[in-house]
Amino acid sequence: QVRLVESGGGLVQAGGSLRVSCAASGSIFSINDMGWYRQAPGKQRELVATISRAGSTNYADSVKGRFTISRDNAKNTVYLQMNSLKPEDTAVYYCKMRNGPRDDYWGQGTQVTVSS
């Protein structure tokens, strides 16, 4: 089993920045894709950004140009740098990692709140 632990969430004013991190530990075979998702109250969980082991990235249109996903393969850690934050970015942010060819694991989430 793989455990993912997020950190770095908090309260920030609109226009500010925040970086969240997610580190994996446990029975890691090989972490392939990593990603960040978010879920706001009353809404479904949505994709924010993904990154392959080689570094290829993909972003939701709503965060493109403002957020940057990165990873440290040696530490099995994924980061999400969030700039120019908007109130609509307020959500619980979850990280996801693929262990081996098909086993996905999720963190428990970290709250990001952006005030007006």
Side-chain angles (χ1 to χ4, degrees):
Q1 294 296 110
V2 174
R3 182 190 181 201
L4 307 184
V5 179
E6 299 103 333
S7 62
L11 175 65
V12 65
Q13 295 185 73
S17 298
L18 205 62
R19 189 182 78 160
V20 290
S21 303
C22 177
S25 62
S27 301
I28 299 172
F29 177 74
S30 180
I31 300 297
N32 191 10
D33 292 345
M34 296 180 173
W36 285 97
Y37 296 72
R38 67 187 182 187
Q39 186 167 21
K43 296 185 178 180
Q44 295 186 23
R45 189 172 299 186
E46 65 176 353
L47 172 70
V48 176
T50 60
I51 184 168
S52 72
R53 186 171 181 84
S56 297
T57 58
N58 185 53
Y59 298 92
D61 288 340
S62 60
V63 307
K64 195 172 298 181
R66 299 188 297 119
F67 291 10
T68 302
I69 187 171
S70 61
R71 63 189 288 169
D72 185 334
N73 291 331
K75 297 181 178 180
N76 291 316
T77 300
V78 62
Y79 307 92
L80 185 68
Q81 177 67 45
M82 300 178 284
N83 299 326
S84 301
L85 283 162
K86 304 175 181 179
E88 51 263 45
D89 294 319
T90 296
V92 176
Y93 283 70
Y94 299 89
C95 64
K96 186 194 77 174
M97 298 188 189
R98 176 159 291 176
N99 185 33
R102 62 183 67 84
D103 296 325
D104 290 339
Y105 291 87
W106 292 84
Q108 291 191 322
T110 185
Q111 177 70 47
V112 172
T113 302
V114 184
S115 62
S116 300

